[in-house]
Amino acid sequence: MTAHGSADPRSSATTHAVAELIRALRPELDVRVAFCEQNSPNLGDVLRTLDGPAVVTPLLLASAYHARTDIPAMIADSGADVIQADTLGEDPRLLHVMRERLAQHQIHQFERGLGVLVVAVGSSHAAANARTSALADTLARGTRWSGVQVAYATGPQPSVLDGVESLRRQGARRIVVAPWFIAPGRITDRVAAIADAEGMSMVAPLGAHPLVAQTVLDRFDHAVAARAAAA
């Protein structure tokens, strides 16, 4: 399982915690953790230690630069017998985790005048941003909130403050920030500082949740099945 990597130790700790959940779900699997950058072990180094076929399963939400460029390049450079699984994407299980994080923050689906600002990392890949933006409609379904807006902590528009203004125009009297991040880190800290300055609260990232581990295993299983079908 491969994560982005971060200078913030909470990020790698979350990655290892997800790996432990996967081991508990599938004790027969050889689950190894690797990172694209900043943390060790590096994915390229881990790939060069393999003595058989493997699946690189990204612990990444969006199919953006790391999934499309970095990881394939590391796999090619290693010469290992490896296939790459899909990213986690906007999986319904992850939306369930986000709703759970909101519920833990005493956010009720029938609260009127509530705006939910989903904050994600933006990408230079427009299709990845479009899929992330679709989270707003899915999360808002079945609620009486004033609105749900997706904003980006880095990269494209709308920015976090743009998202706040949009929700206020929609009539939101209270806004809660929901980070579309697996782990806390420096970016989520910056978002939290903006939220605090604007008088908003912020819920926890998705974290090392069993449904996150199940989604990783789903991507692994699909990759293995695709490889078997192509053989």
Side-chain angles (χ1 to χ4, degrees):
M1 184 179 69
T2 302
H4 181 288
S6 169
D8 191 310
R10 293 172 295 174
S11 179
S12 60
T14 301
T15 300
H16 284 285
V18 173
E20 283 303 312
L21 290 172
I22 294 170
R23 293 183 184 107
L25 289 168
R26 297 275 187 90
E28 74 279 7
L29 284 182
D30 178 9
V31 180
R32 305 188 193 186
V33 171
F35 300 91
C36 292
E37 59 183 47
Q38 299 200 60
N39 298 111
S40 59
N42 178 266
L43 174 59
D45 294 336
V46 172
L47 291 175
R48 282 184 280 273
T49 68
L50 298 177
D51 55 6
V55 178
V56 174
T57 309
L59 187 64
L60 301 171
L61 294 172
S63 180
Y65 182 80
H66 281 292
R68 291 175 170 272
T69 303
D70 272 359
I71 293 174
M74 290 181 185
I75 291 173
D77 185 62
S78 72
D81 181 12
V82 169
I83 56 173
Q84 181 179 336
D86 287 338
T87 53
L88 306 186
E90 297 69 41
D91 192 281
R93 284 164 288 207
L94 304 185
L95 264 296
H96 183 90
V97 177
M98 177 171 278
R99 292 188 181 99
E100 190 175 298
R101 296 291 180 244
L102 289 164
Q104 290 166 349
H105 207 71
Q106 307 304 311
I107 303 301
H108 195 277
Q109 63 178 337
F110 299 124
E111 181 180 343
R112 296 183 184 274
L114 177 73
V116 176
L117 183 65
V118 178
V119 179
V121 172
S123 170
S124 58
H125 189 64
N129 295 328
R131 286 191 292 271
T132 303
S133 294
L135 289 168
D137 288 342
T138 307
L139 189 61
R141 200 169 297 142
T143 74
R144 294 182 181 174
W145 301 336
S146 292
V148 178
Q149 173 72 51
V150 172
Y152 299 99
T154 61
Q157 299 296 318
S159 67
V160 175
L161 290 177
D162 291 336
V164 171
E165 288 306 310
S166 176
L167 287 170
R168 286 174 176 162
R169 287 195 300 271
Q170 294 174 53
R173 298 186 297 275
R174 182 165 82 101
I175 298 174
V176 175
V177 177
W180 186 243
F181 286 74
I182 292 172
R186 293 181 176 183
I187 297 177
T188 58
D189 285 350
R190 291 202 300 271
V191 174
I194 295 171
D196 185 63
E198 292 290 320
M200 305 181 298
S201 56
M202 179 166 136
V203 306
L206 303 178
H209 192 286
L211 290 177
V212 174
Q214 288 179 25
T215 307
V216 174
L217 280 171
D218 177 81
R219 302 301 183 265
F220 170 83
D221 289 340
H222 276 82
V224 170
R227 182 169 196 167

